[in-house]
Amino acid sequence: MEALAVRLSGLDPYVDGAIRIVAFYDTLMRRRVDLPALARASAGLAECVAGIRLHGTGRVIRVAADGRAAADPSSGPSSPAPAFTTVPITLDEEEIGTVWLERPGAPNQLDEVLLERLALATATAVERYGPARTTMADPALVELVISADSDEAARARALRLLGFTPGRPVQVLAVRSRLPLDRIAGLVCPGSTVKAAPLAGVGAVLATTVDRTRFPEGVRAGIGSAESPDRSWRQARTAVRFTTPRRPVVHHDDLGAVALLARVGDQALRDNTDIAAIARIAGNPEDLETLDAYCATGSLRRAAELLHLHHSSVARRLEQIAKSLGIELTEHTGLVRASLALTAWRLIHDDDIF
C-alpha cells in the first residue's frame, strides 16, 4: 500500500499533498489527541485559523496558525472577512458539529481534504473522550432504559452506553411534533447529556435537566419525574395526553388527581353524558375554543381577553354552549363538570393532535 501511495504521489502533486494530509491525521488519531490539539495541528498545517464547533454543547475552538487562541475577527480593526471553508462533523449518521478554515483570500485546493480528515478525527475524539454528543440514540437501548420489564442491571448498563453518569437521576419526556426530534431535544436540554429515539409514534427523550421554557412552537410534550426511568416514561406518556394548544408542555406532577382520568377506559368516557355533550359541540371550533378559554380562566372577562373578543360576545356564546351542554357554566360545580368533560374528551381524541 505504501509503495502504491508513493507511485501515485509521483504522478500528481495534488495526490501527493492529499496523501500527506491523510497520513498526518492518521498519526494524530493514533496518538489519541484531544480537540484543542487537533485544532492547533490543523491551524499549523493549513497556516490559517482553524475552527471546531460542537452543536450539542455549543463549544467552539478557534486557533491561529501560531497555535494560540484566535482573536474574534469582529473585535479587530475593519478589514475584509476571511473566506470560510466548512465541513460538517458526523457521528452515527447525525451532524454533531462543523469544522472550518478561515483563510485570507481564495481557498487552497487541499482545504477540502484537510477539513474532511479534521472532521473525521474530531468525531473520533468526541466519541473517545466522553459521551458522544449525538442526540439520537439506538431505540433498542432507550427502550431498555424505560421498559418496566428491564432489570436494574440491564437498565444501568444501557444508561452507561448512552453516556449517562451512573446514579444520576434521568427524566423522560414523551414528545409529539413534526419537528426533528434531535432538534427539540437539543433545545430543551442545553449543555447536558440528552438522548432521543422514536418509539411507537412518540418521541422518547432522556435527559438529566430540562428547560421547559425552550420548547419550540408546535411541540406537545409530557414530562415525567426523575424517580426511575420506567416510571418517568409512564408519567410522560400520560402527561402528553393532557397537552392542549394553550398548554403544550405538561409535567405529570402538575396534573395531580386529574391524571386519574387517563386510567378510565375510552368507552366509559364516551358513555358519560357530559363528555357526549362536549362531542356534540366539538364540530364548531369557535364553541370549543370559547369553552376552553373559559374553563382555563374561570372568568368571563379573562376568557374574552384570551379570545380577543368583547366580553358580551363571549357571554352570548357561553350562554348557547351552556344550553347545548345542559350545564350551568356560571356555577362553580358546572364549571368543574365542563372542565373535566372537556379534558376527558381530549383524552379520547389525543391521537388526532398530529
Side-chain angles (χ1 to χ4, degrees), residues 123-334:
T124 302
V126 166
E127 192 171 28
R128 179 184 299 128
Y129 293 111
R133 297 299 180 182
T134 53
T135 299
M136 299 306 290
D138 182 352
L141 275 180
V142 172
E143 194 162 10
L144 192 59
V145 169
I146 63 179
S147 173
D149 297 328
S150 298
D151 60 63
E152 290 308 310
R155 196 188 319 279
R157 180 176 180 275
L159 282 168
R160 284 196 301 273
L161 290 173
L162 289 170
F164 290 95
T165 303
R168 189 172 181 184
V170 173
Q171 279 183 284
V172 185
L173 287 66
V175 176
R176 288 177 173 176
S177 176
R178 293 189 178 92
L179 298 175
L181 186 58
D182 59 334
R183 179 187 164 197
I184 298 168
L187 284 172
V188 302
C189 311
S192 63
T193 304
V194 56
K195 298 294 177 181
L199 295 176
V202 180
V205 178
L206 278 61
T208 51
T209 59
V210 179
D211 187 342
R212 295 170 65 172
T213 67
R214 293 173 60 92
F215 282 93
E217 188 176 350
V219 174
R220 300 283 187 92
I223 305 174
S225 64
E227 296 174 20
S228 63
D230 57 323
R231 180 179 175 83
S232 187
W233 174 236
R234 290 196 302 272
Q235 293 176 343
R237 283 187 303 166
T238 297
V240 76
R241 296 183 63 193
F242 286 89
T243 58
T244 70
R246 298 189 195 282
R247 195 185 182 192
V249 179
V250 174
H251 197 297
H252 186 271
D253 290 349
D254 296 335
L255 290 173
V258 176
L260 295 174
L261 279 175
R263 300 188 182 182
V264 181
D266 283 2
Q267 190 56 54
L269 293 176
R270 287 190 175 92
D271 291 342
N272 180 269
T273 55
D274 285 353
I275 298 170
I278 294 290
R280 287 196 298 271
I281 72 163
N284 187 328
E286 285 188 354
D287 285 351
L288 206 60
E289 187 179 18
T290 301
L291 181 62
D292 176 57
Y294 182 64
C295 289
T297 61
S299 162
L300 179 63
R301 291 189 178 275
R302 287 168 61 195
E305 290 172 5
L306 277 179
L307 297 168
H308 305 291
L309 294 171
H310 194 274
H311 65 88
S312 61
S313 299
V314 175
R316 284 194 298 272
R317 283 191 191 178
L318 286 173
E319 186 178 353
Q320 290 301 119
I321 293 170
K323 289 179 181 178
S324 299
L325 296 179
I327 298 174
E328 183 50 68
L329 295 176
T330 58
E331 295 179 358
H332 176 70
T333 54

Side-chain angles (χ1 to χ4, degrees), residues 8-205:
L8 288 173
S9 65
L11 296 175
D12 188 340
Y14 173 83
V15 173
D16 180 45
I19 289 173
R20 291 179 186 276
I21 289 173
V22 170
F24 178 81
Y25 281 99
D26 282 350
T27 300
L28 292 178
M29 286 190 282
R30 281 198 302 272
R31 292 177 180 173
R32 298 174 178 265
V33 299
D34 58 14
L35 296 183
L38 274 174
R40 284 194 300 272
S42 301
L45 182 63
E47 298 183 332
C48 67
V49 172
I52 299 172
R53 185 184 191 283
L54 300 179
H55 298 328
T57 61
R59 183 183 183 187
V60 176
I61 304 171
R62 290 177 67 250
V63 181
D66 62 3
R68 299 177 184 177
D72 186 348
S74 63
S75 63
S78 177
S79 60
F84 280 67
T85 304
T86 64
V87 166
I89 307 165
T90 58
L91 183 59
D92 296 333
E93 299 182 358
E94 179 188 349
E95 183 178 324
I96 63 168
T98 54
V99 294
W100 70 90
L101 296 177
E102 303 173 25
R103 186 181 296 284
N108 186 295
Q109 64 173 344
L110 288 169
D111 282 354
E112 289 285 348
V113 177
L114 187 153
L115 286 172
E116 286 174 6
R117 300 305 294 183
L118 173 57
L120 177 62
T122 300
T124 302
V126 166
E127 192 171 28
R128 179 184 299 128
Y129 293 111
R133 297 299 180 182
T134 53
T135 299
M136 299 306 290
D138 182 352
L141 275 180
V142 172
E143 194 162 10
L144 192 59
V145 169
I146 63 179
S147 173
D149 297 328
S150 298
D151 60 63
E152 290 308 310
R155 196 188 319 279
R157 180 176 180 275
L159 282 168
R160 284 196 301 273
L161 290 173
L162 289 170
F164 290 95
T165 303
R168 189 172 181 184
V170 173
Q171 279 183 284
V172 185
L173 287 66
V175 176
R176 288 177 173 176
S177 176
R178 293 189 178 92
L179 298 175
L181 186 58
D182 59 334
R183 179 187 164 197
I184 298 168
L187 284 172
V188 302
C189 311
S192 63
T193 304
V194 56
K195 298 294 177 181
L199 295 176
V202 180
V205 178

